[in-house]
Structures are given as C-alpha cells and as structure tokens.
Amino acid sequence: MIVRIMGEGQVEIAAGDIEVLNALDSELEAAIESGDEDRFRTKLHALLDKVRHVGKALPDESLEPSELILPPADASIEEVREMLGDTGLIPG
C-alpha cells in the first residue's frame, strides 16, 4: 500500500503492517471522539511514527498514486475528523 503523509512524501507499507496501523487508527478515532486534544496529539504522532518506521520511503520523484493520505503531524482534531471515512484513516 502506498501512503502519503501530507507534507512529507510517500512510503510503501507492507500488507503485514496494516493490522498494527489499524489498531493505532482506532485509538486515534477514539481520541477524536472524546475531544481530548492531548490524547489526540499523542495518538496521531504514534500513528505517523509507526508509518514512518514500518514504511519504505519512496523517492521524491516517484509518482505512484497514493492509496491512502494521512494528515500532517500538526493537523487539528477538526482537520483529521474531516479526513476520517467510514473505516477511519486506514481502511481495514
């Protein structure tokens, strides 16, 4: 799966890592629903850090279509809420 983190570029995520990312995505959704800014910020950073860790960075000149777009680390709760689909940020 090709993932773009807004403002950072693209990474390729192996299928085996999606389950872990989905768990972090669920925690992020719960933080958004609770309206807890500190918890939201922690969970967003945890998700993005994991994507960076397990993902293989694609070259900047790569023009692969992104299957998934994640918000930047400084996104607000409202910005991320607007990006959420029926399955969260990361489809299961």
Side-chain angles (χ1 to χ4, degrees), residues 24-44:
L24 292 169
D25 186 34
S26 294
E27 293 174 12
L28 176 61
E29 283 186 81
I32 291 169
E33 289 172 15
S34 75
D36 183 333
E37 178 73 33
D38 291 335
R39 186 171 157 218
F40 160 76
R41 187 75 37 216
T42 298
K43 297 302 180 182
L44 176 60

Side-chain angles (χ1 to χ4, degrees), residues 4-72:
R4 174 176 297 282
I5 299 175
M6 294 171 67
E8 292 186 32
Q10 292 181 304
V11 295
E12 185 171 6
I13 304 293
D17 293 316
I18 299 300
E19 189 174 322
V20 171
L21 296 178
N22 271 324
L24 292 169
D25 186 34
S26 294
E27 293 174 12
L28 176 61
E29 283 186 81
I32 291 169
E33 289 172 15
S34 75
D36 183 333
E37 178 73 33
D38 291 335
R39 186 171 157 218
F40 160 76
R41 187 75 37 216
T42 298
K43 297 302 180 182
L44 176 60
H45 283 249
L47 175 63
L48 295 175
D49 287 346
K50 186 58 124 175
V51 167
R52 290 180 197 110
H53 178 74
V54 301
K56 176 185 167 206
L58 297 179
D60 289 340
E61 62 275 2
S62 175
L63 297 174
E64 297 294 321
S66 297
E67 299 169 70
L68 182 60
I69 298 176
L70 296 177

